[in-house]
Coordinates of all heavy atoms in Angstrom, one line a residue:
M1 N -38.3 250.9 439.1 CA -38.1 251.8 440.2 C -37.6 251.1 441.4 O -38.1 250.0 441.7 CB -39.3 252.6 440.6 CG -39.8 253.6 439.5 SD -41.3 254.5 440.1 CE -40.5 255.5 441.4
L2 N -36.6 251.6 442.1 CA -36.2 251.1 443.3 C -36.8 251.8 444.5 O -37.0 253.0 444.5 CB -34.7 251.2 443.5 CG -33.8 250.4 442.5 CD1 -32.3 250.7 442.7 CD2 -34.1 248.9 442.7
F3 N -37.1 251.0 445.5 CA -37.7 251.5 446.8 C -37.0 250.9 448.0 O -36.8 249.7 448.0 CB -39.2 251.2 446.9 CG -40.1 252.0 445.9 CD1 -40.3 251.5 444.7 CD2 -40.6 253.2 446.3 CE1 -41.1 252.2 443.8 CE2 -41.4 253.9 445.4 CZ -41.7 253.4 444.1
H4 N -36.7 251.8 448.9 CA -36.2 251.4 450.2 C -37.4 251.3 451.1 O -38.2 252.3 451.2 CB -35.2 252.4 450.8 CG -34.8 252.2 452.2 ND1 -35.4 252.8 453.2 CD2 -33.8 251.4 452.7 CE1 -34.8 252.4 454.3 NE2 -33.8 251.6 454.0
V5 N -37.7 250.2 451.7 CA -38.9 250.0 452.5 C -38.5 249.5 453.9 O -37.8 248.5 454.1 CB -39.8 249.0 451.9 CG1 -41.1 248.8 452.7 CG2 -40.2 249.4 450.5
R6 N -39.0 250.1 454.9 CA -38.9 249.7 456.3 C -40.3 249.1 456.7 O -41.3 249.7 456.5 CB -38.5 250.8 457.3 CG -38.4 250.2 458.7 CD -38.0 251.2 459.7 NE -38.2 250.6 461.0 CZ -37.3 250.7 462.0 NH1 -36.2 251.4 461.8 NH2 -37.5 250.2 463.2
M7 N -40.2 247.9 457.3 CA -41.4 247.2 457.7 C -41.2 246.9 459.2 O -40.3 246.2 459.6 CB -41.7 246.0 456.9 CG -42.0 246.2 455.5 SD -42.2 244.7 454.6 CE -40.9 244.8 453.4
D8 N -42.1 247.4 460.0 CA -42.2 247.0 461.5 C -43.4 246.2 461.7 O -44.5 246.6 461.4 CB -42.2 248.3 462.3 CG -41.0 249.1 462.2 OD1 -40.0 248.8 463.0 OD2 -40.9 250.0 461.4
V9 N -43.2 245.0 462.3 CA -44.3 244.1 462.5 C -44.7 244.1 463.9 O -43.9 244.1 464.9 CB -43.8 242.6 462.1 CG1 -45.0 241.6 462.3 CG2 -43.3 242.6 460.7
N10 N -46.1 244.2 464.1 CA -46.6 244.3 465.5 C -47.8 243.3 465.6 O -49.0 243.7 465.5 CB -47.1 245.7 465.7 CG -46.1 246.7 465.6 OD1 -45.1 246.7 466.4 ND2 -46.2 247.6 464.6
I11 N -47.5 242.0 465.7 CA -48.5 241.0 465.9 C -49.1 241.1 467.3 O -48.4 241.2 468.3 CB -47.9 239.6 465.7 CG1 -47.4 239.5 464.3 CG2 -49.0 238.5 466.0 CD1 -46.7 238.2 464.0
P12 N -50.4 241.2 467.4 CA -51.1 241.4 468.7 C -50.8 240.2 469.6 O -50.8 239.0 469.1 CB -52.6 241.4 468.3 CG -52.7 241.7 466.9 CD -51.4 241.2 466.3
H13 N -50.6 240.4 470.8 CA -50.2 239.3 471.8 C -51.4 238.4 472.0 O -51.2 237.2 472.4 CB -49.8 239.9 473.1 CG -48.5 240.7 473.0 ND1 -47.3 240.2 472.7 CD2 -48.3 242.1 473.2 CE1 -46.4 241.2 472.6 NE2 -47.0 242.3 473.0
D14 N -52.6 238.8 471.7 CA -53.8 238.0 471.9 C -54.2 237.2 470.7 O -55.1 236.5 470.7 CB -55.0 238.8 472.4 CG -55.4 239.9 471.5 OD1 -54.7 240.2 470.5 OD2 -56.5 240.5 471.7
L15 N -53.4 237.3 469.6 CA -53.6 236.5 468.4 C -53.3 235.0 468.7 O -52.1 234.8 469.2 CB -52.8 237.0 467.2 CG -53.1 236.4 465.9 CD1 -54.5 236.8 465.4 CD2 -52.0 236.8 464.8
P16 N -54.2 234.1 468.5 CA -53.8 232.7 468.8 C -52.5 232.3 468.1 O -52.3 232.6 466.9 CB -55.0 231.9 468.3 CG -56.2 232.9 468.3 CD -55.5 234.2 468.0
A17 N -51.7 231.5 468.8 CA -50.4 231.1 468.3 C -50.5 230.3 467.0 O -49.7 230.6 466.1 CB -49.7 230.2 469.4
A18 N -51.5 229.5 466.9 CA -51.6 228.7 465.6 C -51.9 229.6 464.4 O -51.4 229.4 463.3 CB -52.7 227.7 465.8
E19 N -52.8 230.6 464.7 CA -53.1 231.6 463.6 C -51.9 232.4 463.2 O -51.6 232.6 462.1 CB -54.2 232.5 464.0 CG -54.7 233.4 463.0 CD -55.9 234.3 463.4 OE1 -56.5 234.0 464.4 OE2 -56.1 235.3 462.7
A20 N -51.1 232.9 464.2 CA -49.9 233.6 464.0 C -48.9 232.8 463.2 O -48.3 233.3 462.2 CB -49.3 234.1 465.3
A21 N -48.7 231.5 463.6 CA -47.8 230.7 462.9 C -48.2 230.5 461.4 O -47.3 230.5 460.5 CB -47.7 229.3 463.6
E22 N -49.5 230.3 461.2 CA -50.0 230.1 459.8 C -49.7 231.4 458.9 O -49.3 231.3 457.8 CB -51.4 229.7 459.8 CG -52.0 229.3 458.5 CD -52.6 230.5 457.7 OE1 -53.0 231.5 458.3 OE2 -52.5 230.5 456.5
I23 N -50.0 232.5 459.5 CA -49.8 233.8 458.8 C -48.3 234.0 458.5 O -47.9 234.4 457.4 CB -50.3 235.0 459.6 CG1 -51.8 234.9 459.7 CG2 -49.9 236.3 459.0 CD1 -52.5 235.9 460.7
I24 N -47.4 233.7 459.5 CA -46.0 233.8 459.3 C -45.5 232.9 458.2 O -44.6 233.3 457.4 CB -45.2 233.7 460.6 CG1 -45.6 234.8 461.6 CG2 -43.7 233.5 460.4 CD1 -45.2 234.6 463.0
A25 N -46.0 231.7 458.2 CA -45.6 230.7 457.1 C -46.0 231.2 455.7 O -45.2 231.1 454.8 CB -46.2 229.3 457.4
R26 N -47.2 231.8 455.6 CA -47.6 232.3 454.3 C -46.8 233.5 453.9 O -46.4 233.7 452.8 CB -49.1 232.7 454.4 CG -50.0 231.5 454.3 CD -51.5 231.9 454.1 NE -52.0 232.6 455.2 CZ -52.5 233.9 455.2 NH1 -52.6 234.5 454.0 NH2 -53.0 234.5 456.3
E27 N -46.4 234.4 454.9 CA -45.6 235.5 454.7 C -44.2 235.1 454.1 O -43.7 235.7 453.2 CB -45.4 236.3 456.0 CG -44.5 237.5 455.9 CD -45.2 238.7 455.5 OE1 -46.5 238.7 455.4 OE2 -44.6 239.7 455.2
R28 N -43.6 234.1 454.7 CA -42.3 233.6 454.3 C -42.4 233.1 452.9 O -41.5 233.5 452.0 CB -41.9 232.5 455.2 CG -40.5 231.9 454.8 CD -40.1 230.7 455.7 NE -38.7 230.6 455.7 CZ -37.9 230.7 456.7 NH1 -38.3 230.9 457.9 NH2 -36.6 230.5 456.5
A29 N -43.4 232.3 452.5 CA -43.5 231.8 451.2 C -43.7 232.9 450.2 O -43.1 232.9 449.1 CB -44.7 230.8 451.1
Y30 N -44.6 233.9 450.5 CA -44.8 235.0 449.6 C -43.6 235.8 449.4 O -43.2 236.2 448.3 CB -46.0 235.8 450.2 CG -46.4 237.0 449.4 CD1 -47.0 236.9 448.1 CD2 -46.2 238.3 449.9 CE1 -47.4 238.0 447.4 CE2 -46.6 239.4 449.2 CZ -47.2 239.3 447.9 OH -47.7 240.4 447.2
S31 N -42.9 236.1 450.5 CA -41.7 237.0 450.3 C -40.6 236.3 449.6 O -39.9 236.9 448.8 CB -41.2 237.4 451.7 OG -40.6 236.4 452.4
Q32 N -40.4 235.0 449.8 CA -39.4 234.2 449.1 C -39.7 234.1 447.6 O -38.8 234.2 446.7 CB -39.2 232.9 449.7 CG -38.5 233.0 451.0 CD -38.3 231.6 451.7 OE1 -38.9 230.6 451.4 NE2 -37.4 231.6 452.7
E33 N -41.0 234.0 447.2 CA -41.4 234.0 445.8 C -41.0 235.4 445.2 O -40.5 235.4 444.1 CB -42.9 233.8 445.7 CG -43.5 233.9 444.4 CD -45.0 233.8 444.4 OE1 -45.5 233.0 445.2 OE2 -45.6 234.5 443.6
L34 N -41.3 236.5 445.9 CA -41.0 237.8 445.4 C -39.4 238.0 445.2 O -39.0 238.6 444.3 CB -41.6 238.9 446.2 CG -43.1 239.0 446.1 CD1 -43.6 239.8 447.3 CD2 -43.5 239.6 444.8
Q35 N -38.7 237.4 446.2 CA -37.2 237.5 446.1 C -36.7 236.7 444.9 O -35.9 237.2 444.1 CB -36.6 236.9 447.4 CG -36.8 237.8 448.6 CD -36.3 237.2 449.8 OE1 -35.1 237.0 450.0 NE2 -37.2 236.9 450.8
R36 N -37.3 235.5 444.7 CA -36.8 234.7 443.5 C -37.2 235.4 442.2 O -36.5 235.3 441.2 CB -37.5 233.4 443.5 CG -36.9 232.5 444.6 CD -37.4 231.0 444.5 NE -37.1 230.3 445.7 CZ -37.9 230.2 446.8 NH1 -39.1 230.8 446.8 NH2 -37.5 229.6 447.9
S37 N -38.3 236.2 442.2 CA -38.7 236.9 440.9 C -37.8 238.1 440.7 O -37.9 238.7 439.6 CB -40.2 237.3 441.0 OG -40.3 238.5 441.9
G38 N -37.1 238.6 441.7 CA -36.3 239.8 441.5 C -36.9 241.1 441.9 O -36.3 242.1 441.9
K39 N -38.2 241.0 442.3 CA -38.9 242.2 442.7 C -38.5 242.6 444.1 O -38.4 243.8 444.4 CB -40.4 242.0 442.6 CG -40.9 241.9 441.2 CD -42.4 241.7 441.1 CE -42.8 241.5 439.7 NZ -42.7 242.7 438.8
W40 N -38.2 241.7 445.0 CA -37.8 241.9 446.4 C -36.3 241.7 446.3 O -35.8 240.5 446.6 CB -38.5 241.0 447.3 CG -38.4 241.5 448.8 CD1 -37.4 242.1 449.4 CD2 -39.4 241.3 449.8 NE1 -37.7 242.3 450.7 CE2 -38.9 241.8 451.0 CE3 -40.7 240.7 449.8 CZ2 -39.7 241.7 452.2 CZ3 -41.4 240.7 450.9 CH2 -40.9 241.2 452.1
R41 N -35.5 242.7 446.1 CA -34.0 242.5 445.8 C -33.2 242.2 447.0 O -32.3 241.4 447.0 CB -33.5 243.7 445.1 CG -33.9 243.7 443.6 CD -33.3 244.9 442.8 NE -31.9 244.9 442.9 CZ -31.2 245.8 442.2 NH1 -31.7 246.6 441.4 NH2 -29.9 245.8 442.4
H42 N -33.5 242.9 448.1 CA -32.7 242.7 449.4 C -33.7 242.7 450.6 O -34.7 243.5 450.6 CB -31.7 243.8 449.5 CG -30.7 243.9 448.4 ND1 -29.7 243.0 448.2 CD2 -30.7 244.7 447.3 CE1 -29.0 243.3 447.1 NE2 -29.6 244.3 446.6
I43 N -33.3 242.0 451.6 CA -34.0 242.1 452.9 C -33.0 241.9 454.0 O -32.2 241.0 454.0 CB -35.2 241.0 453.0 CG1 -35.9 241.2 454.3 CG2 -34.7 239.6 452.7 CD1 -37.2 240.4 454.4
W44 N -33.1 242.8 455.0 CA -32.2 242.7 456.1 C -33.0 242.9 457.4 O -33.8 243.8 457.5 CB -31.1 243.9 456.1 CG -30.2 243.8 455.0 CD1 -29.0 243.0 455.0 CD2 -30.2 244.4 453.8 NE1 -28.4 243.2 453.8 CE2 -29.1 244.1 453.0 CE3 -31.1 245.3 453.2 CZ2 -28.8 244.5 451.7 CZ3 -30.9 245.8 451.9 CH2 -29.7 245.4 451.2
R45 N -32.8 242.0 458.4 CA -33.5 242.2 459.6 C -32.8 243.3 460.4 O -31.6 243.5 460.3 CB -33.3 240.9 460.4 CG -33.8 241.0 461.9 CD -34.0 239.7 462.5 NE -35.2 239.1 461.9 CZ -35.6 237.9 462.0 NH1 -34.9 237.0 462.8 NH2 -36.7 237.4 461.4
I46 N -33.6 244.0 461.2 CA -33.0 245.1 462.1 C -32.8 244.4 463.4 O -33.7 243.9 464.0 CB -34.0 246.3 462.2 CG1 -34.2 246.9 460.8 CG2 -33.4 247.3 463.2 CD1 -35.3 247.9 460.7
A47 N -31.6 244.4 463.9 CA -31.2 243.7 465.1 C -32.0 244.1 466.3 O -32.2 245.3 466.5 CB -29.7 243.9 465.4
G48 N -32.6 243.1 467.0 CA -33.3 243.4 468.2 C -34.8 243.9 468.0 O -35.4 244.2 469.0
Q49 N -35.2 243.9 466.8 CA -36.6 244.3 466.5 C -37.3 243.3 465.5 O -36.6 242.6 464.8 CB -36.6 245.7 465.8 CG -35.9 246.8 466.6 CD -35.9 248.1 465.9 OE1 -36.8 248.4 465.1 NE2 -34.8 248.8 466.0
Y50 N -38.6 243.3 465.6 CA -39.3 242.5 464.6 C -39.6 243.5 463.4 O -40.7 244.0 463.3 CB -40.6 241.9 465.1 CG -41.3 240.8 464.3 CD1 -42.3 240.1 464.9 CD2 -40.8 240.5 463.0 CE1 -42.9 239.1 464.1 CE2 -41.4 239.5 462.3 CZ -42.5 238.8 462.9 OH -43.1 237.8 462.2
A51 N -38.5 243.7 462.6 CA -38.6 244.7 461.6 C -37.5 244.4 460.6 O -36.6 243.6 460.8 CB -38.3 246.1 462.2
N52 N -37.7 245.0 459.4 CA -36.6 244.8 458.3 C -36.5 246.0 457.5 O -37.5 246.8 457.4 CB -37.0 243.5 457.5 CG -38.1 243.7 456.6 OD1 -38.0 244.4 455.5 ND2 -39.3 243.1 456.9
Y53 N -35.4 246.1 456.8 CA -35.2 247.0 455.7 C -35.1 246.2 454.4 O -34.4 245.2 454.4 CB -33.9 247.8 455.9 CG -33.9 248.9 456.9 CD1 -33.0 248.8 458.0 CD2 -34.7 250.0 456.8 CE1 -33.0 249.8 458.9 CE2 -34.7 250.9 457.8 CZ -33.8 250.9 458.9 OH -33.8 251.9 459.8
S54 N -35.8 246.6 453.4 CA -35.8 245.9 452.2 C -35.7 246.8 451.0 O -35.9 248.0 451.1 CB -37.1 245.1 452.0 OG -37.2 244.1 453.0
V55 N -35.2 246.3 449.9 CA -35.1 247.0 448.6 C -36.0 246.3 447.6 O -35.8 245.1 447.4 CB -33.7 247.2 448.1 CG1 -33.7 247.9 446.7 CG2 -32.9 248.0 449.1
F56 N -36.9 247.0 447.0 CA -37.8 246.4 446.0 C -37.5 247.1 444.6 O -37.2 248.3 444.6 CB -39.3 246.7 446.3 CG -39.8 245.9 447.4 CD1 -39.6 246.3 448.7 CD2 -40.5 244.7 447.2 CE1 -40.1 245.6 449.8 CE2 -41.0 244.0 448.2 CZ -40.8 244.4 449.5
E57 N -37.5 246.3 443.6 CA -37.4 246.8 442.2 C -38.7 246.5 441.5 O -39.0 245.3 441.2 CB -36.2 246.2 441.5 CG -36.1 246.8 440.1 CD -34.8 246.4 439.4 OE1 -34.1 245.5 439.9 OE2 -34.5 247.1 438.4
V58 N -39.5 247.5 441.3 CA -40.9 247.3 440.7 C -41.1 248.4 439.6 O -40.3 249.3 439.4 CB -42.0 247.5 441.8 CG1 -41.9 246.3 442.7 CG2 -41.9 248.8 442.5
K59 N -42.2 248.2 438.8 CA -42.5 249.1 437.7 C -42.8 250.5 438.2 O -42.4 251.5 437.6 CB -43.7 248.5 436.9 CG -44.1 249.3 435.8 CD -45.2 248.6 435.0 CE -46.4 248.4 435.9 NZ -47.6 247.9 435.4
D60 N -43.6 250.6 439.3 CA -44.1 251.9 439.8 C -44.7 251.8 441.2 O -44.7 250.7 441.8 CB -45.1 252.5 438.8 CG -46.3 251.5 438.5 OD1 -46.6 250.7 439.4 OD2 -46.9 251.7 437.5
N61 N -45.1 252.9 441.7 CA -45.7 253.0 443.0 C -46.9 252.0 443.2 O -47.0 251.4 444.2 CB -46.3 254.4 443.3 CG -45.2 255.4 443.4 OD1 -44.0 255.1 443.5 ND2 -45.6 256.7 443.3
A62 N -47.7 251.9 442.2 CA -48.9 251.0 442.2 C -48.5 249.6 442.4 O -49.1 248.8 443.2 CB -49.7 251.2 441.0
E63 N -47.4 249.1 441.7 CA -47.0 247.7 441.9 C -46.4 247.5 443.2 O -46.7 246.5 443.9 CB -45.9 247.4 440.8 CG -45.5 245.9 440.9 CD -44.5 245.5 439.9 OE1 -43.9 246.3 439.2 OE2 -44.4 244.3 439.7
L64 N -45.7 248.5 443.8 CA -45.2 248.3 445.1 C -46.3 248.2 446.1 O -46.3 247.4 447.0 CB -44.2 249.5 445.5 CG -43.7 249.4 446.9 CD1 -42.7 248.2 447.1 CD2 -43.0 250.7 447.3
H65 N -47.3 249.1 446.0 CA -48.5 249.0 446.9 C -49.2 247.7 446.8 O -49.6 247.1 447.8 CB -49.4 250.2 446.5 CG -50.6 250.1 447.4 ND1 -50.6 250.6 448.7 CD2 -51.9 249.7 447.2 CE1 -51.8 250.4 449.3 NE2 -52.6 249.9 448.4
E66 N -49.3 247.2 445.6 CA -50.0 245.9 445.4 C -49.2 244.8 446.1 O -49.8 243.9 446.8 CB -50.1 245.6 443.9 CG -50.8 244.2 443.6 CD -50.9 244.0 442.1 OE1 -51.1 245.0 441.3 OE2 -50.9 242.8 441.8
I67 N -47.9 244.8 446.0 CA -47.0 243.8 446.6 C -47.1 243.9 448.1 O -47.3 242.9 448.8 CB -45.6 243.9 446.1 CG1 -45.4 243.4 444.7 CG2 -44.6 243.2 447.1 CD1 -44.1 243.7 444.0
L68 N -47.0 245.1 448.6 CA -47.0 245.3 450.1 C -48.3 244.9 450.7 O -48.4 244.3 451.8 CB -46.5 246.7 450.5 CG -45.1 247.1 450.1 CD1 -44.9 248.6 450.4 CD2 -44.1 246.2 450.8
S69 N -49.4 245.4 450.1 CA -50.7 245.1 450.6 C -51.1 243.6 450.5 O -52.0 243.2 451.2 CB -51.8 246.0 450.0 OG -51.9 245.7 448.6
G70 N -50.3 242.9 449.7 CA -50.6 241.4 449.6 C -49.8 240.6 450.6 O -50.0 239.4 450.7
L71 N -49.0 241.3 451.4 CA -48.2 240.6 452.4 C -49.2 240.0 453.5 O -50.0 240.8 454.0 CB -47.2 241.5 453.1 CG -46.0 241.9 452.3 CD1 -45.3 243.1 453.0 CD2 -45.1 240.7 452.1
P72 N -49.1 238.8 453.8 CA -50.0 238.2 454.9 C -50.0 239.0 456.2 O -51.0 239.1 456.9 CB -49.6 236.8 455.0 CG -49.1 236.4 453.6 CD -48.4 237.7 453.2
L73 N -48.8 239.5 456.5 CA -48.7 240.3 457.8 C -49.0 241.8 457.6 O -48.9 242.5 458.6 CB -47.2 240.2 458.3 CG -46.9 238.8 459.0 CD1 -45.4 238.7 459.2 CD2 -47.7 238.6 460.2
F74 N -49.4 242.2 456.4 CA -49.7 243.6 456.2 C -50.5 244.3 457.2 O -50.2 245.4 457.7 CB -50.3 243.7 454.8 CG -50.6 245.2 454.4 CD1 -49.6 246.0 454.0 CD2 -51.9 245.7 454.5 CE1 -49.9 247.3 453.6 CE2 -52.2 247.0 454.1 CZ -51.2 247.8 453.7
R75 N -51.6 243.6 457.7 CA -52.5 244.3 458.7 C -51.8 244.5 460.0 O -52.3 245.3 460.8 CB -53.8 243.5 458.8 CG -53.6 242.1 459.4 CD -54.9 241.4 459.4 NE -54.6 240.0 459.7 CZ -55.4 239.2 460.4 NH1 -56.6 239.7 460.8 NH2 -55.1 238.0 460.6
F76 N -50.6 243.9 460.2 CA -49.9 244.0 461.5 C -48.6 244.9 461.3 O -47.8 244.9 462.2 CB -49.5 242.7 462.0 CG -50.7 241.8 462.2 CD1 -50.7 240.5 461.6 CD2 -51.8 242.1 463.0 CE1 -51.8 239.7 461.8 CE2 -52.8 241.3 463.2 CZ -52.9 240.0 462.6
M77 N -48.5 245.6 460.1 CA -47.3 246.3 459.8 C -47.4 247.8 459.8 O -48.5 248.3 459.4 CB -46.7 245.8 458.5 CG -46.2 244.5 458.4 SD -45.6 244.2 456.7 CE -44.7 242.7 456.9
D78 N -46.4 248.4 460.2 CA -46.2 249.9 459.9 C -45.1 249.9 458.8 O -44.0 249.3 459.0 CB -45.7 250.6 461.1 CG -46.8 250.7 462.2 OD1 -47.9 250.9 461.9 OD2 -46.4 250.5 463.4
I79 N -45.4 250.5 457.7 CA -44.5 250.5 456.5 C -44.2 251.9 456.1 O -45.1 252.7 456.0 CB -45.2 249.7 455.3 CG1 -45.5 248.2 455.8 CG2 -44.3 249.7 454.1 CD1 -46.2 247.5 454.7
E80 N -42.9 252.1 455.8 CA -42.5 253.4 455.2 C -41.6 253.1 454.0 O -40.7 252.3 454.0 CB -41.6 254.1 456.3 CG -41.1 255.5 455.8 CD -40.3 256.2 456.9 OE1 -40.6 256.1 458.1 OE2 -39.4 256.9 456.5
A81 N -42.1 253.6 452.9 CA -41.4 253.4 451.6 C -40.8 254.7 451.0 O -41.5 255.7 451.1 CB -42.4 252.8 450.6
T82 N -39.6 254.6 450.5 CA -38.9 255.7 450.0 C -38.4 255.4 448.6 O -37.6 254.4 448.4 CB -37.7 256.1 450.9 OG1 -38.1 256.3 452.2 CG2 -37.0 257.3 450.4
P83 N -38.8 256.2 447.6 CA -38.2 255.9 446.2 C -36.7 256.2 446.2 O -36.3 257.2 446.8 CB -39.0 256.8 445.3 CG -39.7 257.8 446.2 CD -39.7 257.3 447.6
L84 N -36.0 255.4 445.4 CA -34.5 255.6 445.3 C -34.2 255.8 443.8 O -34.9 255.3 442.9 CB -33.8 254.3 445.8 CG -34.0 253.9 447.2 CD1 -33.4 252.5 447.4 CD2 -33.5 254.9 448.2
L85 N -33.1 256.6 443.6 CA -32.6 256.7 442.3 C -31.1 256.7 442.4 O -30.5 257.0 443.4 CB -33.1 257.9 441.5 CG -32.9 259.2 442.1 CD1 -32.5 260.2 441.0 CD2 -34.2 259.7 442.7
R86 N -30.5 256.3 441.3 CA -29.0 256.2 441.2 C -28.3 257.5 441.6 O -28.7 258.6 441.1 CB -28.6 255.7 439.8 CG -27.2 255.4 439.7 CD -26.9 254.7 438.3 NE -25.5 254.5 438.1 CZ -24.8 253.6 438.7 NH1 -25.4 252.7 439.5 NH2 -23.5 253.5 438.5
H87 N -27.3 257.4 442.4 CA -26.5 258.6 442.8 C -25.5 258.9 441.7 O -24.9 257.9 441.2 CB -25.9 258.4 444.1 CG -25.3 259.6 444.7 ND1 -24.1 260.2 444.3 CD2 -25.8 260.4 445.7 CE1 -23.9 261.3 445.0 NE2 -24.9 261.4 445.9
P88 N -25.3 260.1 441.3 CA -24.3 260.4 440.3 C -22.9 260.0 440.6 O -22.1 259.8 439.7 CB -24.4 261.9 440.0 CG -25.2 262.4 441.2 CD -25.9 261.3 441.8
S89 N -22.5 259.8 441.8 CA -21.2 259.4 442.2 C -21.0 257.9 442.4 O -20.0 257.4 442.7 CB -20.8 260.0 443.5 OG -20.7 261.4 443.4
A90 N -22.1 257.1 442.1 CA -22.1 255.7 442.3 C -21.1 255.1 441.3 O -21.0 255.5 440.1 CB -23.4 255.0 442.1
V91 N -20.3 254.1 441.7 CA -19.3 253.5 440.8 C -19.7 252.1 440.2 O -19.1 251.6 439.3 CB -17.9 253.3 441.6 CG1 -17.4 254.6 442.0 CG2 -18.1 252.3 442.8
R92 N -20.8 251.5 440.8 CA -21.3 250.3 440.2 C -22.3 250.5 439.2 O -23.3 251.2 439.3 CB -21.9 249.4 441.4 CG -20.9 248.9 442.3 CD -21.5 247.9 443.2 NE -20.4 247.3 444.0 CZ -20.6 246.8 445.2 NH1 -21.9 246.8 445.7 NH2 -19.7 246.3 445.9
D93 N -22.2 249.8 438.1 CA -23.1 249.9 437.0 C -24.3 249.0 437.1 O -25.3 249.1 436.4 CB -22.4 249.6 435.6 CG -21.4 250.7 435.3 OD1 -21.6 251.9 435.7 OD2 -20.4 250.4 434.6
D94 N -24.2 248.0 438.0 CA -25.2 247.0 438.1 C -26.3 247.3 439.1 O -27.3 246.6 439.3 CB -24.6 245.6 438.5 CG -23.9 245.6 439.8 OD1 -23.6 246.7 440.4 OD2 -23.6 244.5 440.3
D95 N -26.3 248.5 439.7 CA -27.3 248.9 440.7 C -28.1 250.1 440.0 O -27.7 251.2 440.1 CB -26.7 249.4 442.0 CG -26.5 248.3 442.9 OD1 -27.1 247.2 442.7 OD2 -25.7 248.5 443.9
S96 N -29.1 249.7 439.3 CA -29.9 250.8 438.7 C -31.1 251.3 439.5 O -31.4 250.7 440.5 CB -30.5 250.3 437.3 OG -31.1 249.1 437.5

């Protein structure tokens, strides 16, 4: 299943800088591992915001939830996920 996911990050201003940096480093490693595995297919930063739009390809809702809740920044995020399916007018065969 494909999902379009918007993630808005809201790190508290009073979080110690060293702690924030450590969490961000873990987030980067985790997200890059998921990208290499093919589960996190696309990620785009939203200009001017600490937010992104991403596309995930996972088995089901439960797997997406497991991945998202495993994000080190999860407790600081507002997340909106939308399931996607192929449009009948799509011309590319490689986007399932």
Side-chain angles (χ1 to χ4, degrees):
M1 292 183 71
L2 291 177
F3 288 88
H4 172 267
V5 180
R6 179 179 172 136
M7 294 178 243
D8 292 275
V9 182
N10 302 295
I11 297 175
H13 297 296
D14 60 348
L15 187 69
E19 185 178 346
E22 187 272 330
I23 293 168
I24 291 167
R26 286 190 294 120
E27 179 85 11
R28 179 183 202 119
Y30 181 67
S31 71
Q32 289 178 345
E33 176 186 322
L34 288 164
Q35 289 173 66
R36 286 185 195 95
S37 77
K39 291 182 185 292
W40 196 326
R41 288 183 51 175
H42 302 281
I43 182 170
W44 294 277
R45 173 165 287 170
I46 300 172
Q49 299 178 37
Y50 195 169
N52 72 77
Y53 286 120
S54 293
V55 175
F56 288 84
E57 184 170 12
V58 293
K59 180 178 61 175
D60 54 25
N61 295 343
E63 184 179 15
L64 179 66
H65 179 76
E66 182 179 328
I67 287 170
L68 295 176
S69 62
L71 290 166
L73 286 170
F74 179 76
R75 64 185 169 145
F76 305 121
M77 291 181 166
D78 293 319
I79 299 174
E80 183 178 322
T82 305
L84 301 173
L85 60 137
R86 186 170 175 77
H87 194 283
S89 296
V91 296
R92 290 194 174 151
D93 292 331
D94 61 345
D95 277 340
S96 52

